[in-house]
Amino acid sequence: MTEMLIPLLTAAVQSGTPILFATLGEMFTERAGILNLGVEGMMIVGAFAGFFVSLSTGNPWLGVLAAGIAASAFSALHGLVCLSFLGNQVVSGLALTILGVGLADFLGSPYIGKQAPGFYAFDLPLLSSLPFVGDIFFKHDALVYLSYVAPLAFWLFWHRTRTGLALTAAGEYPPAALAAGLNPVRLRWIGIMAGGFLVGIGGAYLSLAYTHLWTNGMTAGRGWIAVALVIFAFWRPGRAVFGAYLFGGVMAFQLRLQASGTQVPSSFLLMLPYGLTIAALLFSALRGRGGSSSAAPAALGVNIEPEQ
Amino acid sequence: MFGFIVIKRQEPPKWGSFLIFPAALALSLGASCLLLAIQGKPALDGLTILYQGAFGAGYAVVDTLLKTVPIFLCSLGVAVAFRMQVWNIGAEGQFALGAIGATWAALTFPALPAWLLLPLMFTSAAVLGGIWAMIPAWLKLKLSINEIITTLMLNYIGILILDYLVYGPWKDPSSFGFPMTKEFPAAAIVPAFEGSRLHWGMILCLVCALLLWVFLTKTRLGYELKASGESLRASRYARMPYGFLVLLVMGLCGALAGWAGLMETSAVVGRLQPSLMVGYGYTAIVVAWLAQLNPGKIALASFFLAALRVGVENLQLELGVPAAFGGIIEGLILLSVLAGQFFNYYRFKRPSA
């Protein structure tokens, strides 16, 4: 039993990692009060930027940096439309996804099938020799280890720093932030840019660690799953970890089942992550009746109107 | 911003829609040219090729009109939902289910005469597309589950169901392994106009738009629908049937998108195959927003975006630009129109000292 379970859980952690980064990124932006549905587009722009820079410099870390910066700059378009021009946040996010998927497809088409230097698994000393846990969590690549620290850093930032508090105000009640002498628009810009950076790292994970190749449409809905997971996680980073690994597990399971030559048609297996997304929302709606809506930042998706 | 203060306008200026749209278009095409130039392709020639592809010859215009039909049908429904602030992103999946419904009827009753088979196909396409859209509506109403995500996930699932059918139970045994169904019997083909590739779907579009316009402006329910979109709270006070309206609107969306799927399957391709799914459902969102959710303007905007698609196909042929280029232009137009609408609602004023 464990012979089958351990590789599956190991794969769950790996395929959950890009979703975890993207979920944390969207959570960051949403907690500052901005709804950004462009995650799918930002993620794939990050995946391409990471791939391109890693391929041309030979340094995957520079690739990750570039992915973060590219996705962040790309989400600045959302900031421009929603924060500067007070456009509709839902539609702007959709536009960002349409644009990002097109852009990555367009720029990436000469690179299809090319291989870039990426991240490879190595055993963490001591930790990897732990029974069971060592095999599942500590025989991965550097970005996975980074993803263990990220939710903790996220939590500390929001609850233990002054900026975190100010960002919470921008997401819950911008007039209060304004009254406290803060600039809620500037704070939301921070939310958009920093969130974009995290989403970009998630994208880079896909092209630099999950596969080392460029293929079109490699995000395959993971960005949208991340948007759903933010709701599933009630905007809390700890629960995001759980959600991401759950999805990673289902994706890994689905791949393994396909490889084993099962009788179940592959279309049905491919449906699993999308069906599970709906199930996850169903679950959080049933569990958090009355609570799930209040878990959302109060001013989420509401633009800050200029003063009269 | 830059020493000016922003003031809310009492009402949108008259020049708004005349100026904002062309400016947004110029901006998007400019940025797209830049992208072509980056890839070492002739940018200005690219624009000419794009234009010629869309309007250059008679058959190009026919192509554009053919592509207008599915975009128009999907967009009509999406726009009505958006009016109610119901964010249906699922036209793509509803399109797939409509195509499946139509195909089911065509393959199950191949011997029926056209006057029976076609109505049956229209019914099954509308029912399947409608149900696909009412699932997220029901989840939204009963459990307040976000419809943006459920409609989107149902897109992926709908396309995979289509894949399953054409790779599996509905695969034509004589297709040399290609994923496609048998060709439809002649009675299951939506007829074309004499001596043209244009089919009767054009007429369907016009009828649907007209009926929808009458519904929205002349009936009590249509009025309530508009009112619920403008102010949910006020409509609740007035005891308008919000839940019923959401289900109705989503069902309508699904049926219209389903008919779009039927048209493409029956009139254009003549069989069900995965290549039918080219993202008309997503383009419909762009169209609905460009047209400010107005049925008349949707006709214009869907023709325009269909022309863009045909133009990009020409670009693909002549310059080897990937089809994704169309998505780039669509995304850019949508973003710049969204930003440009700012000037409809606000104006700048120098602060009076």
Side-chain angles (χ1 to χ4, degrees), chain B residues 94-109 117-129 170 184-185 188 190 258-267 271-272:
Chain B
Q94 293 144 22
F95 177 102
L97 266 286
I100 291 169
T103 307
W104 169 81
L107 295 181
T108 316
F109 307 103
L117 185 52
L118 280 175
L120 185 66
M121 285 167 67
F122 272 93
T123 314
S124 53
V127 167
L128 273 197
W170 286 359
F184 281 9
V190 173
W259 281 350
L262 175 149
M263 286 300 160
E264 288 298 289
T265 321
S266 156
R271 53 163 41 128
L272 188 64

Side-chain angles (χ1 to χ4, degrees), chain A residues 150-173:
Chain A
L152 198 69
F154 186 106
W155 189 87
L156 285 173
F157 174 79
W158 281 90
H159 297 282
R160 292 286 179 271
T161 70
R162 195 174 277 272
T163 320
L165 196 67
L167 281 165
T168 307
E172 293 290 345
Y173 193 56

Side-chain angles (χ1 to χ4, degrees), chain B residues 85 305 315:
Chain B
Q85 316 258 358
L305 281 199
L315 211 56

Side-chain angles (χ1 to χ4, degrees), chain A:
Chain A
M1 186 59 199
T2 48
E3 283 131 54
M4 270 169 57
L5 199 62
I6 288 179
L8 181 66
L9 291 178
T10 311
V13 170
Q14 206 206 2
S15 62
T17 299
I19 302 177
L20 178 57
F21 277 118
T23 308
L24 289 178
E26 175 65 6
M27 197 179 279
F28 199 102
T29 307
E30 287 195 15
R31 277 189 159 202
I34 286 282
L35 179 67
N36 185 353
L37 298 180
V39 184
E40 181 81 2
M42 284 146 61
M43 207 175 173
I44 201 156
V45 163
F48 175 72
F51 181 85
F52 178 75
V53 168
S54 177
L55 185 73
S56 35
T57 63
N59 185 340
W61 282 107
L62 281 180
V64 172
L65 189 68
I69 292 172
S72 190
F74 188 61
S75 62
L77 285 177
H78 188 62
L80 202 64
V81 170
C82 301
L83 289 175
S84 304
F85 289 103
L86 305 166
N88 185 303
Q89 293 183 19
V90 173
V91 186
S92 167
L94 291 171
L96 212 61
T97 289
I98 296 175
L99 178 61
V101 171
L103 207 58
D105 203 340
F106 175 76
L107 294 173
S109 61
Y111 299 94
I112 293 174
K114 286 211 175 125
Q115 199 163 8
F119 294 91
Y120 294 92
F122 60 92
D123 296 1
L124 274 192
L126 295 176
L127 287 170
S128 61
S129 51
L130 290 170
F132 202 63
V133 178
D135 284 329
I136 296 169
F137 289 106
F138 300 112
K139 294 183 175 173
H140 287 286
D141 55 80
L143 286 180
V144 174
Y145 301 139
L146 186 68
S147 79
Y148 297 158
V149 192
L152 198 69
F154 186 106
W155 189 87
L156 285 173
F157 174 79
W158 281 90
H159 297 282
R160 292 286 179 271
T161 70
R162 195 174 277 272
T163 320
L165 196 67
L167 281 165
T168 307
E172 293 290 345
Y173 193 56
L178 195 65
L182 299 163
N183 183 340
V185 174
R186 193 174 299 157
L187 286 166
R188 286 185 165 193
W189 269 109
I190 296 176
I192 288 181
M193 302 301 279
F197 195 89
L198 281 170
V199 171
I201 297 179
Y205 192 85
L206 288 175
S207 59
L208 295 180
Y210 198 64
T211 70
H212 299 96
L213 300 167
W214 176 255
T215 46
N216 276 342
M218 66 190 317
T219 45
R222 285 182 179 84
W224 288 106
I225 290 172
V227 175
L229 277 185
V230 175
I231 302 170
F232 175 71
F234 293 140
W235 289 265
R236 290 208 288 266
R239 285 185 55 130
V241 178
F242 172 69
Y245 290 161
L246 181 69
F247 272 83
V250 168
M251 285 180 169
F253 174 71
Q254 173 262 114
L255 278 176
R256 265 148 209 274
L257 214 58
Q258 272 195 61
S260 75
T262 164
Q263 289 299 306
V264 186
S266 64
S267 315
F268 288 142
L269 295 176
L270 289 170
M271 275 175 213
L272 281 175
Y274 310 117
L276 182 70
T277 307
I278 298 176
L281 290 179
L282 207 66
F283 174 79
S284 34
L286 289 171
R287 261 207 55 187
R289 276 225 161 144
S292 71
S293 52
S294 56
L300 177 61
V302 182
N303 280 334
I304 299 172
E305 291 280 330
E307 280 188 279
Q308 291 304 307

